[in-house]
């Protein structure tokens, strides 16, 4: 994937670079997606206001319905992105970029992933120091099924959210603003806004995660290391409390 704003080298096709600097989907398609995120933010805020304290005796499989909903939501949103980019003749594989042609190319991204995860941990620690430590909002899986679904949710988030925010939105926003920095910041803000109902601390922290993965995607010209790091970070948060 050739990101907009990247320098075209002698071995790169200028026509391909120019094509990648154009909108990857119609503007109306992006507006619908942003409106959907805005609606989710409002609904989350309304739902948070109506939350009642949980009883000590939580029923078995209490997380399963929410986990299944999360999996469906992630992949349904990705399908919407696929629908939009197809209008411009762009394939999702082009949004991901990069190729694992041999063990070396895979190991390069596999080694970048833990580095990004360590930065994720640093961001979390800094946020805790600045804003105070917040209680865990995701219950720890109590059954094997919940544990398996937690991994599926994490992998779905890593794949879908990186493609949606760093692959789709970041390129759309660059095409509109012609600024890599603004595109990274805007997609990170959009990434964090749906968490506002859970508190400004969490929303700000998620925005910083978005900046981290946005910079990584732009620098690497690929979403693959970000997908690996994002998925593992969510798994570690859900199952290891890290």
């Amino acid at each position: 994937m050739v990101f907009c704003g990247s320098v075209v080298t002698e071995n790169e096709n200028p026509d391909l670079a120019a094509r990648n600097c154009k909108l990857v989907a119609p503007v109306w398609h992006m507006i619908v997606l942003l409106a959907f995120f805005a609606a989710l933010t409002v609904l989350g805020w309304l739902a948070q206001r109506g939350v009642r304290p949980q009883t000590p005796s939580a029923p078995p499989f209490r997380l399963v319905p929410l986990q299944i909903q999360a999996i469906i939501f992630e992949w349904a949103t990705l399908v919407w992105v696929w629908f939009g980019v197809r209008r411009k003749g762009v394939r999702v594989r082009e949004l991901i970029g990069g190729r694992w042609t041999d063990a070396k190319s895979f190991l390069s991204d596999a080694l970048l992933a833990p580095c990004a995860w360590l930065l994720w941990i640093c961001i979390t620690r800094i946020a805790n120091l600045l804003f105070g430590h917040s209680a865990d909002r995701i219950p720890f899986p109590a059954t094997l099924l919940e544990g398996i679904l937690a991994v599926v949710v994490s992998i779905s988030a890593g794949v879908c959210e990186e493609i949606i925010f760093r692959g789709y939105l970041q390129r759309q926003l660059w095409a509109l603003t012609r600024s890599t920095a603004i595109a990274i910041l805007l997609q990170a803000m959009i990434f964090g806004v749906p968490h506002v109902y859970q508190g400004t601390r969490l929303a700000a922290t998620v925005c910083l995660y978005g900046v981290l993965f946005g910079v990584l995607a732009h620098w690497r010209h690929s979403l693959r290391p970000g997908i690996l790091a994002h998925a593992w970070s969510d798994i570690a948060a859900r199952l290891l409390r890290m």
Side-chain angles (χ1 to χ4, degrees):
M1 173 173 54
V2 181
F3 272 90
C4 298
S6 301
V7 177
V8 180
T9 65
E10 294 179 358
N11 296 326
E12 290 177 342
N13 185 342
D15 293 335
L16 178 60
R19 181 173 181 269
N20 280 309
C21 288
K22 296 180 180 179
L23 289 169
V24 295
V27 174
W28 65 261
H29 178 270
M30 186 181 69
I31 292 174
V32 171
L33 182 63
L34 296 180
F36 178 63
F37 287 146
L40 281 179
T41 303
V42 174
L43 290 174
W45 179 75
L46 293 175
Q48 186 74 6
R49 292 190 63 186
V51 167
R52 297 178 180 179
Q54 294 183 346
T55 58
S57 57
F61 307 117
R62 69 203 189 286
L63 291 181
V64 171
L66 295 176
Q67 290 171 321
I68 293 175
Q69 289 175 27
I71 294 168
I72 293 174
F73 167 78
E74 295 285 0
W75 290 99
T77 309
L78 182 58
V79 168
W80 174 253
V81 167
W82 169 83
F83 170 78
V85 299
R86 293 302 294 173
R87 308 281 75 74
K88 293 285 188 179
V90 177
R91 294 174 296 180
V92 172
R93 185 169 60 185
E94 295 178 58
L95 299 181
I96 298 173
R99 293 182 63 186
W100 288 336
T101 55
D102 51 31
K104 182 179 179 180
S105 60
F106 170 76
L107 287 175
S108 297
D109 286 344
L111 290 175
L112 278 174
C115 295
W117 176 60
L118 289 176
L119 289 175
W120 171 297
I121 296 297
C122 290
I123 290 173
T124 304
R125 297 291 184 269
I126 292 172
N128 289 340
L129 290 174
L130 293 176
F131 306 109
H133 183 77
S134 62
D136 293 322
R137 294 180 179 272
I138 303 176
F140 192 80
T143 66
L144 177 60
L145 178 59
E146 289 182 355
I148 293 173
L149 287 176
V151 173
V152 176
V153 170
S154 299
I155 294 174
S156 299
V159 173
C160 298
E161 292 178 9
E162 288 308 305
I163 295 174
I164 293 165
F165 289 95
R166 265 61 75 179
Y168 169 83
L169 271 178
Q170 189 160 304
R171 287 182 60 181
Q172 284 283 88
L173 292 168
W174 190 95
L176 293 172
T177 65
R178 295 294 172 176
S179 170
T180 300
I182 292 176
I184 292 174
L185 290 175
L186 286 179
Q187 65 80 20
M189 291 174 62
I190 297 168
F191 186 52
V193 162
H195 298 275
V196 168
Y197 74 92
Q198 294 175 297
T200 54
R201 174 206 173 278
L202 179 60
T205 304
V206 174
C207 283
L208 292 176
Y209 295 153
V211 171
L212 167 64
F213 287 118
V215 171
L216 176 61
H218 175 72
W219 171 69
R220 187 61 178 170
H221 294 180
S222 172
L223 303 181
R224 294 171 189 269
I227 288 172
L228 294 175
H230 192 152
W232 168 249
S233 298
D234 279 9
I235 291 173
R238 286 181 167 88
L239 298 182
L240 305 179
R241 293 302 186 203
M242 298 177 67

